[in-house]
Structures are given as structure tokens and as C-alpha cells.
Amino acid sequence: MTSSKKAEAVSSKVSFASLTQNNLGTVRKLNSVLFPIKYSEKFYSEILLPEVEDFCKLIYYNDIPVGTICCRIETKDSVNHLYLLTMGILAPYRSLGIGSYSMDVILQAATTHTKPKIGRIYLHVQVSNDGAKRFYERHGFRASGIDEGYYKKITPSGAWVLERNIEPLEGENNN
Amino acid sequence: MTPTPTKRALPSKESSLFRELLNLYETRQLKKGQKTADQILKKFPEHGETLCMKGLILTHMGKREEGLELVKKGVRLDLTSHIVWHVFGLIQKGEKNYEEALKSYIQALRFDKGVIARSPCAPSIWCERLDDDLLVCQITDAMSLNQENMNILRDAAHLQTQLRLYDGLVDTRFLLLKLRPNLRQNWIGLALAYHLNGNLVEARRVLEQYERSLKNVPEYDPEQSDLLLYHVRILEDMEEFTTALTLLDTKAKSRAIVDRVAQDSGAEAEQAWRTLIHCNPDNTGYYYSFFRSKNIELGAVTDPDRMSTLRLLQDLSLQNPHTNTPKRLELMVVSAEGFRPLANDYLWSGLQKGIPSLFVDMKSLYQDTRKRVIVEELVDGYRQSLEKNCLPDGAPNEIVAESDSDVPTTYLWTLYFLAQHFSHIGQHSRALSLLSSAITHTPTLPELHTLRGRILKRVGDFLGASVAVNEARLLDGQDRFLNTKSAKYKLRAGLIEEANDTFGLFTKKDAVSPGADLEEMQSLLYLTEEGDAHRRQGRLHYALKKYHAVRKIFEEFEDDQFDFHGYSLRKFTINIYLNLLSWEDRLWSHPAYIHCAISASQIYVELFDNPSRRKDVLSTGKELVFDNLDKTISRLSGMSAEEEKKAKKRAKKAQQKQEEQKKAAAAASAASAATTSTTNEDKGLDLTPQKDDDPDGIKLLTSPEPLDRAWKLLSPLLRLSISNLDLWFSVFDVAVRRGKYLQAIRALTRAKVLDANHPDLHVRLLHFRKLYESLPSSLPSPVAVVVSDALETLITREMTLETYNAQYLQQNHLNARAILGAAWGLQILGSPRDEIEGVVFGTLNPQVVLPLKTALDVLSFLKDISSPRANEFRLACEKIFDLSTVFKTPDQLAIMHLQRQGTLLNTPNVDD
């Protein structure tokens, strides 16, 4: 199967849902099995904020929640950065193109987002996690450095910082 | 004219005032009406009709007691006035006292100055048909009847319908039609009355006469359409199918009509059913009827018909490609030999599409064990292939070609199916292990957690079940189904407070409590489950309270039909109205009502046998309230001071809220009382619900006549032929204690027809014969003969009760319930306790199949007879039912619960 055909097949089976107080339980459940970290209540209240609705999603495959993607917006030097907090797909559903498709959807949303405009997207990947690093590089991310001691309770504690600039859509770049 | 009694006659000035008063009342100018009445009463304080009118007006203004007082006084002062009786009837109707209201109406009509008072046999119109002659002479007078008399007649008809007095109803409707033949609804009213009274021939004649009189009916008139459908229905009930079809063909075009009438066989019917299948190919009933028109019964196809039936189903499937229904019917019709390929297609496509209800759909095929085995082989085969990450060999080809990306979800639904399958056939451990693979695979599918809860419930681990279902609920807080299920499982586990908190997420926020809102919303599920939960924990007063709340709901259902007796005639919604009436006739046989009536009766019987139980419940009851599982858990979890404070605060807040609402209600009623004296506000005649003066059910618990209360709950069920053994046992238990031996023996006879060998019947037969033999022969002779004859046929007198009991045990020595029955028999016969215990412990014999519920009953029997070996039995059961938690002590349970919750919180605590 060619990759474009595969993408097409995936997109017809994948759907997204915005996060609400009511489906937060599913996010918690996914996080508890996807990541070796227990997230704080602050994390769960931040991903419900209206401004990040386009960047925080539950990912459904054949109508079953199989993954999640969560971001927050940070403003540094009057530039808005999208920080990818978590992204994960349940093990049995990997290598089906769901993650790539979801990443594309988020990047697309970042490109078209206006209030506020997003200039850059970045994230941390544990240095031992080569697969994840390769995944992000395929999506245009570049490693900008290593954050030593980023993880406090898991080893290795170091993390790659991966980043990618967001190119605004042509024609809208009029300032 | 009848001479007017002197004390009723008013001078002309007052007389016109009285007419004005009637007008003011009709137009609901209450305040003015009251003043006018007072004006008359100033001069004639003894004028009955005016007193009644004033009373009626006061009642409308919300002063029921004062009003009723005046009305009664008015009636006493003028017993022959139709007005006073009419007013009295209205008030009684408002109190839903339909029998008395009808009597008052009859009195009103007797004294009416119109036709009826003059006819020599007037009252008899209520019980027998009038001569035509008599009516002819009355009809001339009828013109003089005023609107009010028509109203009385119509109201009377409604009351007669409500009370199901159909003979009288026919007469009333007949009279109404004679008086006002120009009103269409009077014709329909009479036809309906004949119909309800079982006289289809007359009903049809009335309809035909009415239809002949119609002129210029507009096309597509919905009222006319429903009337014609009604006409067809009568013809159908009379089995005049040809006439019915002709009427349909000529009059109606609507397809909906076809499905009732295509009952006679033949090519036309077959075509009609084909059309209907095409309209809605998912309606299984249409397929059954289609085949019935070919003399084939789909549920019981015989070998000679099998091939042709399958072929027809395949044709129907090809003609309606978007439905699964004919394919599913093929699975039922096909013999086990040809089942595999069809089932393979059906199952694989269902699993691939991810149809959650696939197992429920397949379950009924399991009656044929061979088919069940094939289903298991097929689906387990899918599982094995999918685990090797390839598609099963036998999977239909076109699906294989499509894509391999559905594999993970197909695998998941396969596991889900298998878990249901194995739990259904009793292999619960296997089901649970499949389920735990599924949950590891995809922990976000709520169905997996609810199923896990259901299986845990089946093995008797109610706490574990409630935790599992709660997991599902947490995945989707918006899902009302999951919310209700979760709360129900908490009630089953005895976590009443937690359950109420969960229910509270979906109930009105301004309600006194979630429970109050659910009661208001007539939630039978909540009331029965919480009643049962309280009962299990010994809080009998709360249980009774909930069961009686259920009864109240059914009384409301029964009252609710009243308005439709008038409305449906006015709106010509005849067919649906008839359906409503027959639904109401069977209303009380609703499973929720039967359950509550039986449970409450059992409690009342217990209270009667054991009056000290009341004190137990009340004295320890208070502690019990604070010693349920919730509290044990918080006690053992060492609830921190802060949490305890929080809980107290919450309780205080709830109390405050309750008080605030009470205050608000009081203020509102005071305000309305203040305003009614100055305004015209019409409060209507219906009795407003009274304040609950027994919120905790203490009065129910301490009622001096528990058996009468029980009987009142059971009696609506007696006239319905209900095949529920427990009902008849309850009827017996109550009747025999009230000394109603005829009712008691009848109940046992009913039970014997349902299951002659039932252990609970055995016990009661012993009980009754022993009691009957010990009676001083004081029964009146006809009753005594009937009872002893019936008893003779139920239980032989040829042997002693001891022998009878021993024989029963011998014949059923491998049946756990029967062993318990025999032990109970010994208890009734006064055998020593160690002998009884010896019999009871026979249930632990490895050859005896001991269901969980029976084990629980045995345990509670041992406790009832204060057996020192009860704990020994409990420990044995704990071993046998290793997955269950019902044989654990409350402390053990609470610790288990806490441990389980603890494991949920055991993930490392790291922030990002």
C-alpha cells in the first residue's frame, strides 16, 4: 500500500474530540498507560483552556479512543510558542499512521491559528527514545539541544529539545 | 314541573343574584362570586345551593377545608337539589374519590328538573338498558336540558370509564347521544362504550349509522382516518376480515393500516408484507408475518420447509442489501449442519464493524448447543489468528482485500465477544482473563469495564463490580447510562451514600437531594434499588418508605388516564386511547411494582411475626445508619480529621438547604394564602399533595396493622393472572396471618399450578396443614369445606407431616433449595436444632449444586434459627465461592475495598 493511500485509509477511520471536563477521565486513563509519569491536576486544568482547544485532542480510531495529544501556548519575547506536552497512541494502534496523521492535523491547526499567532513548536523527548525522535524529525522538527536533568523521577533524565518553526500561510504574511 | 321546595325558592332579587353567582363561577370570577354568595347568604343563611356554591368557590381559592365544610352543610340543608349534589361530586372528584363522586352525580341526575327525575325508573338507567319507548318519550324533554345537565352526564361517563363500570357507561353514553345526536363525539362515545362492554356488534352498528349520516367530509382528514381505522379494528376483532379489507381498500390509503389486517393468508397478504419489509427491512415482525402468510412459522421451521425458507430469506436479503435482519433469521432457520459458513460471515462482519451488541444478538441461538459450539470455535479461531497478526483463513474474501488496518479493533471486539460468551456459559474466570487482556490492549473502551462489572456481579463480588463500572463511568462523565449503571452497582454493593453522590451528578442541582429529585421524576430503578439496599442492611423503615413511594407512582399512573376519557373523544384519537385503557388495566403487573409489593409484604410479615424487630431497627437502627459500608470504610481508612470535618460540613450544608427550602415553601404558602383573599387566582379542585409527615418511614415501620398494609399492596395484583411464584407465596403469608384461609389456600393452589415441587411451596403446605389441624373448628362451614377439600388435593393426609417432609427431602436430596425447604419444614415441625443443622449442611455435599443465592438464603436461615454453626457455614461458602465477596464480614469487605482503591492510586507521582 502506498503511503498516500495509507494516509487516506487512516483519515477515514480517525477522528478527534476536543477535551472537556467529561472526557478528561479518558485522557487520564490514556496517560496512565502511555507515560511513566503521573501528571498534576494543573496539567489537567490547563489542557481544558479554550485557547488550546485546537491543540488538545482525544484521538479516536474506529470510534474508540486510542490516543491523545496535548499542548500549551507559551509566550517568550512576544513570540508564541506551542509546547507539545504529551502525544501518545496505545501500543496496538501504532504503525497505522494515526500519529502522523494527528501530528499533521496539529501542525495545520498551528499554521492557521490567528489568536494568537504561533511562531514555533517545540517539545522534549527522553534521550533514550530514538523512535520518538525519528518520528518528530520526519515531521520537520530539528534537535536544538539537550536538556540535562529534565526528568526528575525517571532515567535517563536527559531530554532532547526538538523544535520546528511554523510558517504562516502564504498571503497572510502581510505585516 | 316538580314543585320547588319552599326553602329552595328565592325571591326574585336573590334569585337573579344566584343566577349571576352561577355565571361568575363559570367564568371563574371567584372573588366576585364569593361576594355575591355572601349577599344571598346574608338574608338566607340556610340556602343550601348558595352554601354549596360558596364552598366550591372557596375550594377553588385554595381554602379546601372551609369550602368542604360549607358544601357538606349545603348538601344537608337541601338533599333534593341537583346543584348541591353536582357540587359535592365535583369536590369528591377533585379528591380522586371516584366511587363517591359517581354516587353524587347519580343523585344530581335523579333530582334534576329535566327528564330523568320524572321518569318512573330513572335510577335504573344506571344499571340496565332503557326501553326504546321510554327514550322516545324522553327525547322531547331533552331539548329543555341545559348545558349543566350535559356536563353532569359527561362527567359521570368519565367516572364510569375510570371505574370500569361499562354497563352503566353504555347507558350514560346512550342517553347523551339521544339528547345531543348532532355532536359527533357522542356517537363515538357510544360505540366505544359498547366496545369496552364487549358488545362489538352494537359498536359496529353505531359506527355505521354515524358514517351514513356524515356529509362533506374533507379529504385526508386525520380524525376521519382514525375513526375508519377504529372501524376496521372492530371488524378485525369480529374476524370479519373480508369486510375489513373492503372497507380499507375503499376508504384508506395509508400503509400503516396494512400491518394489522394482513392476517388472512393468500397472495394479497404476502404482497402486502413484502411491501412492508421493503419499507422497513429491519422489522423482524414483518418477516414473521410474511412467512406466516405462507403457512411457515419462522421460529419453528420444519425440515421439509427449511431449504425453501432459506432461499426466500436470501432473496429478501438481496433485495434489501442494507439490512442484516434476513441474514440473522437465516442463522435461526438453518440447521446446525449448515450453520458454520453463514455464522462465519455474520460474525466476522459484525466484529469487523465493531457492533457492540453482537453477542446479545447471537445469544438466543445458543438454545441449540451445536450452534453454540460452532460460534465458540469460530470466534476463538479469529482470536488465535489475530494474535498472530494475520486474518483468519475463513474470513470472507472481500474483507481481506480491503485493508489490514482494522485488525486492532477487530481483535478487541473479538475479545469482548468471547468474554461475554464464556461468562454466559458459566466460565467466569476464563471470561475475566480474556477481559483483562482486552483492557490491557485498549483501556479506554467503557464496554470492557461494564462487562467486567457484570461478570464480577455474577460471581458475587459486588464491591469489585461497582469499582469496575465506576471505571467505565469515569471515562465518559457525560454518559447518563454509565452514570446510572454505576450508581446502581454501588447500591447493590451497599455503598448508598456514594451511589447518591453519583446519581447527583445528573439530577437537578436545586433539589433537596438526588433521591428526592429521582423520586419526583418517578425513577422506579432508583426507588427499588435503594429500597433493596436499605433492606439488605436492615434499615427496614427506609426500605418501606421507598417501596411505598413506588406504589404512589403507580397510583399516579392510574389517575393520569382520567383526563383522556374526555380528551381522546374530543380529539378523535380512538385507537391509541383504547390501547391506553388496556395498558392501564395491566398497569399494576409491572415488574417494579410486583417486586416492591412482594418485598414490602415480606417486611411487614417479618414485623408481624417478630414485633421486637421494630425496636431493633429503631434502637440499633440509628447506629446502623451510621454503620453502613460507607462508614465502615471511612472508619477503617482512618478518615483524616479534615475529611471528617468536610463530611460534617457537607451534611450540615444539606440540612441547611433542606431547611431553607422548607422555609421558602412555608413562605410561599403563606404568601399565597395572603394573596388568595384578595385575588382571583384559581387553584383548581385537585387535591394538592400533602407534606410528607413521615420522611424516614418510622410510621410505616411502627404501624399497628402491618398485615393490612401488606394486603393493600398485594391486592391490586390479585385480579391479574400473574405467574410469579413469590407473589403467591406473599399472598399466602399475609392471608394466613390475617386468618383469611380461603385466600390463603387459593394462593397455594395458584402456586402449585406454577411449580408443584417448589421448596417454598412445600414449606407453606406444611405450615398450613399444621396450622389448620390445630385450629379450633371455628370456621364457618362452607369455608371449612372448601378449605379442607382444597388442602386435601394439595397435600395428602395419608402420612404424617414428619414422613411427608422426610419423603420430600429424600426425593430432592441433590437440590440445594429443596434441602433448605426440608430443613425449614423440620423447623416448623419443631425438630431439635442440631437435626435441622445436619440437614442444612447437606447443601455443602459436593454432589449438590449450590447456587450463590441459595447459599445466602441458607446462611440467613441459620442466623434466623440462631444456629451456632452459622459462621462455620459462612466460612465454608467463602471457600466455595472464592471469587465472591458476599460471605466476607463487613470489616473484611471494607479492607478489600480500600486495598483495591489503593492499587488504583499506586502510579509514581511525577510532574512534567
Side-chain angles (χ1 to χ4, degrees):
Chain A
M1 196 183 273
T2 65
S3 66
S4 75
K5 240 183 168 178
K6 189 171 174 180
E8 201 178 303
V10 163
S11 67
S12 69
K13 293 170 200 290
V14 174
S15 57
F16 300 90
S18 297
L19 302 187
T20 68
Q21 197 63 49
N22 283 318
N23 60 24
L24 214 52
T26 301
V27 180
R28 286 176 197 270
K29 176 65 88 182
L30 282 168
N31 285 351
S32 77
V33 298
L34 287 172
F35 311 115
I37 284 171
K38 184 175 185 295
Y39 289 93
S40 63
E41 284 311 306
K42 186 163 155 274
F43 171 89
Y44 289 107
S45 62
E46 277 178 1
I47 58 178
L48 287 180
L49 293 173
E51 58 182 28
V52 293
E53 194 190 330
D54 290 347
F55 309 114
C56 295
K57 298 286 182 190
L58 270 174
I59 304 164
Y60 289 75
Y61 183 71
N62 282 344
D63 297 324
I64 299 172
V66 298
T68 166
I69 187 162
C70 291
C71 302
R72 72 169 167 238
I73 294 175
E74 294 168 353
T75 310
K76 279 180 207 153
D77 310 327
S78 74
V79 177
N80 293 305
H81 306 264
L82 197 60
Y83 177 64
L84 189 69
L85 291 155
T86 60
M87 166 155 182
I89 305 286
L90 290 171
Y93 301 86
R94 289 178 197 155
S95 309
L96 295 172
I98 305 172
S100 287
Y101 179 64
S102 308
M103 192 71 237
D104 288 344
V105 167
I106 295 296
L107 288 174
Q108 181 65 23
T111 315
T112 52
H113 207 72
T114 50
K115 280 177 189 167
K117 269 195 184 310
I118 308 291
R120 169 179 169 263
I121 177 167
Y122 80 106
L123 55 95
H124 285 94
V125 168
Q126 199 174 3
V127 286
S128 54
N129 196 346
D130 289 335
K133 183 163 174 269
R134 272 199 303 280
F135 171 83
Y136 290 111
E137 282 168 351
R138 273 205 306 280
H139 286 273
F141 287 80
R142 290 289 164 261
S144 65
I146 288 182
D147 204 337
E148 292 294 351
Y150 175 73
Y151 294 103
K152 294 180 188 70
K153 297 191 188 173
I154 52 177
T155 48
S157 63
W160 289 100
V161 180
L162 292 160
E163 63 171 34
R164 182 199 146 142
N165 288 332
I166 299 294
E167 305 295 336
L169 283 182
E170 276 177 47
E172 274 187 31
N173 196 0
N174 46 13
N175 49 341
Chain B
M1 282 298 221
T2 333
T4 312
T6 39
K7 62 177 177 177
R8 187 183 308 155
L10 292 169
S12 67
K13 186 189 161 207
E14 277 72 21
S15 175
S16 61
L17 273 176
F18 186 73
R19 275 198 300 278
E20 195 190 327
L21 168 61
L22 291 179
N23 267 332
L24 288 169
Y25 171 70
E26 283 303 325
T27 51
R28 294 291 185 277
Q29 304 189 49
L30 302 175
K31 194 70 206 159
K32 274 191 192 164
Q34 191 190 353
K35 274 187 189 146
T36 314
D38 285 337
Q39 236 174 311
I40 304 173
L41 290 171
K42 214 189 286 171
K43 274 194 186 163
F44 301 95
E46 301 271 272
H47 190 249
E49 292 182 342
T50 310
L51 280 168
C52 280
M53 286 310 294
K54 186 180 171 188
L56 184 62
I57 286 172
L58 287 177
T59 313
H60 271 280
M61 291 163 81
K63 301 177 185 171
R64 175 170 294 274
E65 277 174 33
E66 197 184 336
L68 187 61
E69 201 59 36
L70 285 176
V71 171
K72 279 185 179 160
K73 191 175 164 200
V75 174
R76 269 196 305 278
L77 286 167
D78 195 350
L79 283 169
T80 59
S81 152
H82 74 277
I83 290 182
V84 303
W85 286 108
H86 191 185
V87 170
F88 198 34
L90 280 172
I91 302 256
Q92 286 162 326
K93 196 179 83 184
E95 288 168 351
K96 309 215 184 305
N97 190 350
Y98 300 122
E99 279 98 347
E100 291 303 314
L102 183 59
K103 282 184 197 158
S104 299
Y105 276 107
I106 292 174
Q107 288 286 30
L109 287 163
R110 269 182 69 194
F111 298 121
D112 197 344
K113 55 185 177 291
V115 277
I116 304 146
R118 283 216 277 141
S119 74
C121 54
S124 76
I125 64 154
W126 301 98
C127 46
E128 60 187 79
R129 291 278 295 103
L130 278 173
D131 281 343
D132 274 337
D133 287 351
L134 184 63
L135 274 159
V136 172
C137 80
Q138 286 178 336
I139 206 119
T140 44
D141 294 326
M143 306 306 168
S144 66
L145 268 182
N146 55 28
Q147 189 57 40
E148 190 194 333
N149 303 95
M150 299 300 292
N151 283 343
I152 298 180
L153 277 172
R154 212 171 294 135
D155 273 1
H158 298 165
L159 289 167
Q160 283 163 327
T161 317
Q162 181 79 5
L163 295 166
R164 304 289 190 269
L165 299 171
Y166 292 140
D167 279 339
L169 177 69
V170 167
D171 294 323
T172 312
R173 290 292 185 197
F174 197 83
L175 192 57
L176 271 164
L177 178 63
K178 286 287 179 188
L179 297 175
R180 290 274 192 280
N182 53 336
L183 268 183
R184 290 195 299 164
Q185 50 168 288
N186 285 348
W187 288 86
I188 312 303
L190 181 60
L192 268 174
Y194 276 129
H195 186 167
L196 291 170
N197 203 26
N199 191 343
L200 290 170
V201 179
E202 281 298 320
R204 176 189 177 184
R205 258 181 47 196
V206 173
L207 278 183
E208 284 171 354
Q209 212 164 331
Y210 165 70
E211 282 162 25
R212 271 200 296 277
S213 74
L214 286 177
K215 284 178 196 117
N216 305 328
V217 181
E219 281 186 6
Y220 298 110
D221 178 34
E223 294 185 354
Q224 180 68 7
S225 163
D226 202 50
L227 180 83
L228 287 171
L229 276 175
Y230 173 52
H231 193 155
V232 173
R233 181 174 176 165
I234 290 183
L235 290 172
E236 198 193 334
D237 287 352
M238 292 170 79
E239 302 194 350
E240 299 212 5
F241 297 123
T242 330
T243 329
L245 275 174
T246 319
L247 182 70
L248 261 179
D249 282 348
T250 49
K251 301 271 186 184
K253 295 169 182 126
S254 164
R255 279 193 303 266
I257 303 162
V258 183
D259 71 68
R260 270 206 219 106
V261 194
Q263 299 230 333
D264 61 340
S265 58
E268 268 185 71
E270 195 188 311
Q271 194 47 48
W273 287 115
R274 256 186 207 285
T275 316
L276 280 169
I277 290 177
H278 191 67
C279 291
N280 179 6
D282 292 325
N283 185 328
T284 317
Y286 290 166
Y287 292 86
Y288 275 82
S289 303
F290 171 74
F291 281 97
R292 226 167 266 150
S293 73
K294 297 174 150 303
N295 283 321
I296 294 172
E297 189 57 49
L298 267 188
V301 176
T302 51
D303 280 331
D305 288 336
R306 206 177 301 281
M307 287 322 288
S308 59
T309 309
L310 284 171
R311 258 198 305 280
L312 273 168
L313 281 169
Q314 277 155 14
D315 288 348
L316 288 167
S317 193
L318 287 175
Q319 286 157 21
N320 303 288
H322 294 299
T323 179
N324 252 340
T325 312
K327 293 194 183 115
R328 175 63 181 76
L329 290 169
E330 280 180 54
L331 293 183
M332 180 179 77
V333 171
V334 74
S335 61
E337 288 73 31
F339 181 70
R340 191 180 291 267
L342 294 178
N344 186 31
D345 285 4
Y346 193 84
L347 285 166
W348 178 256
S349 106
L351 291 170
Q352 226 224 355
K353 281 186 197 145
I355 298 174
S357 59
L358 187 63
F359 176 76
V360 180
D361 180 23
M362 296 300 283
K363 205 165 52 177
S364 60
L365 296 169
Y366 283 20
Q367 284 161 346
D368 185 339
T369 319
R370 289 170 303 170
K371 289 188 182 176
R372 193 195 82 196
V373 172
I374 293 172
V375 170
E376 180 177 320
E377 285 170 5
L378 281 172
V379 184
D380 205 50
Y382 302 157
R383 179 186 63 81
Q384 289 171 20
S385 306
L386 290 165
E387 275 170 7
K388 291 183 214 129
N389 209 19
C390 56
L391 290 166
D393 298 337
N397 284 332
E398 75 270 25
I399 300 168
V400 177
E402 194 191 286
S403 146
D404 62 348
S405 64
D406 282 326
V407 167
T409 42
T410 310
Y411 177 62
L412 181 66
W413 290 114
T414 302
L415 291 178
Y416 179 63
F417 185 99
L418 284 173
Q420 291 175 89
H421 169 86
F422 285 117
S423 176
H424 181 75
I425 60 174
Q427 301 186 22
H428 299 297
S429 303
R430 191 160 175 195
L432 285 172
S433 97
L434 281 161
L435 211 44
S436 94
S437 323
I439 290 176
T440 315
H441 182 277
T442 305
T444 47
L445 186 65
E447 278 87 344
L448 302 177
H449 300 279
T450 44
L451 176 60
R452 189 160 164 268
R454 201 149 67 240
I455 298 174
L456 289 174
K457 176 192 78 178
R458 284 181 190 148
V459 299
D461 178 2
F462 296 103
L463 268 178
S466 85
V467 173
V469 178
N470 201 44
E471 288 260 298
R473 181 185 71 80
L474 290 172
L475 291 177
D476 187 354
Q478 234 171 343
D479 192 316
R480 194 170 195 137
F481 172 82
L482 291 175
N483 178 274
T484 309
K485 272 276 176 242
S486 166
K488 178 174 147 183
Y489 271 68
K490 285 175 181 173
L491 286 176
R492 290 268 169 99
L495 301 166
I496 297 178
E497 278 178 37
E498 264 190 63
N500 272 287
D501 289 346
T502 306
F503 277 127
L505 296 171
F506 274 82
T507 53
K508 265 196 237 153
K509 294 291 167 267
D510 55 350
V512 180
S513 67
D517 187 43
L518 288 168
E519 189 174 332
E520 171 100 28
M521 293 290 112
Q522 304 186 321
S523 165
L524 296 173
L525 176 129
Y526 159 74
L527 290 170
T528 36
E529 289 293 341
E530 190 169 316
D532 292 351
H534 281 304
R535 185 181 174 199
R536 280 191 294 269
Q537 298 186 11
R539 271 163 288 164
L540 302 180
H541 49 310
Y542 283 139
L544 287 174
K545 190 73 196 164
K546 298 291 173 204
Y547 295 146
H548 276 274
V550 169
R551 182 186 169 94
K552 220 179 91 208
I553 289 175
F554 280 88
E555 283 170 355
E556 282 165 18
F557 287 166
E558 196 173 67
D559 280 335
D560 285 343
Q561 66 178 307
F562 192 89
D563 295 335
F564 290 95
H565 303 321
Y567 175 87
S568 303
L569 268 194
R570 275 203 315 280
K571 298 285 179 193
F572 277 72
T573 51
I574 311 154
N575 290 294
I576 201 78
Y577 171 64
L578 280 171
N579 296 349
L580 167 76
L581 286 187
S582 51
W583 181 81
E584 291 279 359
D585 284 340
R586 301 273 319 156
L587 171 68
W588 296 89
S589 66
H590 189 286
Y593 182 74
I594 295 180
H595 173 82
C596 290
I598 293 175
S599 302
S601 305
Q602 287 169 346
I603 295 178
Y604 282 128
V605 167
E606 192 185 337
L607 292 173
F608 176 83
D609 287 353
N610 212 340
S612 61
R613 275 289 275 143
R614 298 172 203 196
K615 258 187 260 154
D616 296 348
V617 173
L618 287 181
S619 57
T620 54
K622 274 221 173 91
E623 285 161 43
L624 264 175
V625 174
F626 299 105
D627 198 32
N628 57 29
L629 196 51
D630 294 314
K631 293 293 171 178
T632 318
I633 287 170
S634 43
R635 176 164 55 80
L636 287 171
S637 66
M639 198 201 238
S640 66
E642 194 188 350
E643 278 173 275
E644 208 165 342
K645 231 195 243 165
K646 252 190 218 162
K648 269 186 192 161
K649 213 169 157 186
R650 197 172 57 167
K652 207 174 159 190
K653 220 171 160 185
Q655 206 186 352
Q656 260 175 0
K657 202 167 173 184
Q658 217 167 343
E659 271 168 22
E660 265 168 38
Q661 277 184 352
K662 258 191 221 157
K663 261 187 220 161
S669 71
S672 67
T675 46
T676 39
S677 53
T678 54
T679 67
N680 260 328
E681 195 195 354
D682 184 3
K683 295 207 177 301
L685 283 177
D686 284 354
L687 204 57
T688 41
Q690 308 231 316
K691 218 186 98 223
D692 188 357
D693 58 354
D694 186 23
D696 294 333
I698 306 290
K699 284 188 184 167
L700 293 173
L701 182 77
T702 53
S703 148
E705 304 96 12
L707 294 179
D708 292 355
R709 284 179 178 274
W711 191 251
K712 208 181 148 217
L713 287 168
L714 293 171
S715 50
L717 295 170
L718 300 180
R719 60 196 157 82
L720 305 163
S721 52
I722 291 166
S723 305
N724 181 325
L725 271 172
D726 287 333
L727 170 67
W728 297 111
F729 294 147
S730 274
V731 169
F732 170 82
D733 291 344
V734 176
V736 80
R737 285 168 178 78
R738 297 171 91 221
K740 311 278 186 194
Y741 299 120
L742 212 49
Q743 288 167 350
I745 198 82
R746 268 192 210 132
L748 291 186
T749 313
R750 293 291 290 267
K752 182 144 187 174
V753 173
L754 293 172
D755 182 357
N757 201 37
H758 198 282
D760 293 359
L761 176 64
H762 168 76
V763 170
R764 282 167 178 83
L765 286 173
L766 279 183
H767 172 181
F768 194 47
R769 206 180 109 191
K770 179 158 180 275
L771 173 95
Y772 195 72
E773 281 164 3
S774 68
L775 279 181
S777 53
S778 61
L779 286 185
S781 68
V783 176
V785 172
V786 175
V787 172
S788 60
D789 280 2
L791 192 58
E792 183 70 14
T793 61
L794 287 173
I795 176 169
T796 173
R797 219 180 298 188
E798 279 164 18
M799 55 180 94
T800 64
L801 289 175
E802 282 75 9
T803 323
Y804 183 80
N805 195 46
Q807 200 182 332
Y808 182 81
L809 177 61
Q810 206 180 2
Q811 281 165 357
N812 304 286
H813 68 287
L814 290 180
N815 176 333
R817 271 211 77 81
I819 296 173
L820 175 61
W824 199 351
L826 287 175
Q827 161 78 1
I828 290 171
L829 298 172
S831 303
R833 191 162 67 198
D834 52 350
E835 188 188 338
I836 301 174
E837 286 164 344
V839 170
V840 166
F841 272 76
T843 53
L844 297 176
N845 180 337
Q847 280 174 293
V848 175
V849 181
L850 179 61
L852 183 84
K853 185 166 179 315
T854 309
L856 274 177
D857 288 343
V858 170
L859 183 58
S860 82
F861 172 76
L862 285 172
K863 285 180 183 160
D864 282 348
I865 62 169
S866 318
S867 164
R869 295 180 68 187
N871 201 41
E872 180 189 339
F873 188 81
R874 184 183 70 78
L875 290 170
C877 288
E878 215 181 325
K879 279 213 188 82
I880 297 173
F881 302 98
D882 53 344
L883 291 173
S884 164
T885 54
V886 285
F887 296 103
K888 312 258 182 241
T889 61
D891 278 15
Q892 276 176 310
L893 266 185
I895 290 168
M896 280 178 64
H897 190 51
L898 289 170
Q899 280 171 347
R900 282 184 191 167
Q901 285 186 329
T903 57
L904 294 176
L905 305 171
N906 259 347
T907 21
N909 198 349
V910 186
D911 283 0
D912 68 311

